[in-house]
Amino acid sequence: SSNSVAKEHINPCLDYKIHKDHVYTIFPVFRGYSLGHFNRYMRKLPSTADYYKIARFLIKSLLHALAKIHDTGIAHQNITENAVLVSTFNEPREIKVKFTDFGLGCGCPKQSQELTNPLGETDEGMIPWRQYDFFSKIGNCRENGHAPVKYIKEVLERLKDSDYLKIAQRYDVLCLGLIIIKYLLPFDVEIQAIINNLLVVGVNNRQMEVLRDMIKNKYLDGKEYFAVSFSSEDKKMLLEYLKMICKYMISSTPARKPAQYVIDKIIIYEKYKNDIF
């Protein structure tokens, strides 16, 4: 929240209270819906074209927000449809997204240009911020025992914290990619069920292989198994989005790309899709 760019894309926890074995968390008021509720509203849109026009804008907004959060040196590690808030109230024809529930988050936040040194100056001048660990207590990803990214002891001992942070951010990309697939294929009940299980129970390598194979066989191998009718333009756009999400987001960890890389690919495709090379 101290980063001037990332704070636009988060809904931070302001305080918490524990009372009679219950934890009460306090967040700023945000007029909007969880991503899961927003999806249910979108499915009521009168046309497929309207649905995918909004879905594409939403996908780019989600990727942009996650990219800015990751750029601060943070991994969320708990991205679900309930951990993302969506609002259409502030500006006409705009969608704002905010990530929340960073309870499993980790990382080493970068210094914000807006921050001043809380310790003031010394005779030698301003004290370098990096010498102090005001935020480092939340920063050690390797020591976050509740994180979903797990390693055997021998592997974990070889990983630097920066290595673990990079992997944790790739896990964020995977979870967001699964949610995006849900938005791209709302009519595919079978794929929806697999993704819901992955997001609730946790990522399973075998189920991920099944999901990737199913998307490939149904849609990306030229069969175009669609349960609803599309215009040729919407169908082409949907297939390209699916290819990029499968290749860059829900692929194996080494092949997975940062959120900024994915949104750059999408923007370039949309800008030049009608050009002849």
Side-chain angles (χ1 to χ4, degrees):
S1 61
S2 60
N3 183 285
S4 59
V5 178
K7 69 181 180 182
E8 297 180 16
H9 306 294
I10 67 169
N11 199 43
C13 178
L14 300 178
D15 199 0
Y16 72 93
K17 300 293 181 184
I18 300 175
H19 179 67
K20 294 183 179 180
D21 295 328
H22 288 78
V23 179
Y24 298 88
T25 52
I26 302 170
F27 292 88
V29 173
F30 181 76
R31 293 186 65 201
Y33 321 92
S34 71
L35 200 55
H37 278 90
F38 190 68
N39 196 350
R40 289 194 282 274
Y41 284 113
M42 281 187 59
R43 292 188 187 203
K44 297 179 181 180
L45 289 168
S47 73
T48 303
D50 289 339
Y51 176 92
Y52 280 102
K53 183 177 180 180
I54 295 174
R56 292 195 299 269
F57 187 88
L58 176 63
I59 289 167
K60 290 192 286 285
S61 298
L62 290 167
L63 286 166
H64 175 75
L66 185 61
K68 296 308 176 187
I69 291 169
H70 282 178
D71 190 52
T72 67
I74 291 292
H76 189 288
Q77 297 200 117
N78 191 31
I79 293 178
T80 66
E81 290 179 287
N82 291 326
V84 183
L85 304 176
V86 183
S87 176
T88 57
F89 290 101
N90 292 336
E91 297 290 340
R93 304 178 67 87
E94 282 194 12
I95 298 176
K96 295 187 75 67
V97 300
K98 286 183 179 286
F99 284 76
T100 188
D101 194 6
F102 283 79
L104 298 181
C106 71
C108 298
K110 297 177 182 177
Q111 178 181 352
S112 171
Q113 293 181 351
E114 291 187 353
L115 289 176
T116 57
N117 194 320
L119 299 183
E121 297 185 0
T122 66
D123 293 338
E124 292 78 27
M126 187 69 78
I127 302 173
W129 179 275
R130 63 180 177 273
Q131 291 182 6
Y132 297 91
D133 61 345
F134 299 106
F135 295 125
S136 65
K137 298 304 180 186
I138 69 166
N140 197 328
C141 294
R142 295 172 72 251
E143 295 179 359
N144 189 338
H146 300 290
V149 184
K150 303 293 184 182
Y151 292 92
I152 61 175
K153 182 179 178 181
E154 293 76 13
V155 173
L156 186 59
E157 287 175 348
R158 295 198 302 266
L159 290 176
K160 295 183 296 185
D161 197 58
S162 58
D163 297 325
Y164 197 104
L165 173 60
K166 185 180 294 185
I167 295 169
Q169 290 180 337
R170 290 186 182 185
Y171 181 80
D172 286 351
V173 171
L174 170 62
C175 292
L176 185 60
L178 291 172
I179 293 171
I180 289 173
I181 293 290
K182 284 193 67 175
Y183 267 84
L184 292 176
L185 300 173
F187 50 83
D188 195 314
V189 177
E190 193 174 13
I191 285 178
Q192 293 277 321
I194 293 175
I195 292 176
N196 286 337
N197 186 67
L198 287 166
L199 290 172
V200 173
V201 178
V203 173
N204 175 285
N205 287 337
R206 176 58 188 150
Q207 278 198 306
M208 284 301 305
E209 290 179 11
V210 170
L211 176 64
R212 287 191 288 261
D213 288 343
M214 192 177 295
I215 295 172
K216 182 175 182 292
N217 293 333
K218 279 187 174 184
Y219 304 103
L220 302 183
D221 278 350
K223 297 179 182 178
E224 298 185 9
Y225 173 85
F226 293 110
V228 294
S229 59
F230 289 92
S231 67
S232 58
E233 182 177 350
D234 283 339
K235 185 182 293 184
K236 180 181 177 183
M237 185 78 76
L238 171 57
L239 289 173
E240 289 298 327
Y241 265 70
L242 280 175
K243 289 177 185 176
M244 286 185 276
I245 302 308
C246 287
K247 183 176 181 180
Y248 302 127
M249 298 189 74
I250 67 168
S251 54
S252 63
T253 302
R256 215 169 294 150
K257 300 296 184 182
Q260 187 62 54
Y261 181 96
V262 182
I263 193 173
D264 288 345
K265 285 288 186 181
I266 289 174
I267 290 172
I268 290 171
Y269 165 73
E270 290 184 345
K271 184 174 182 179
Y272 296 108
K273 66 180 183 296
N274 295 320
D275 290 359
I276 299 175
F277 293 95

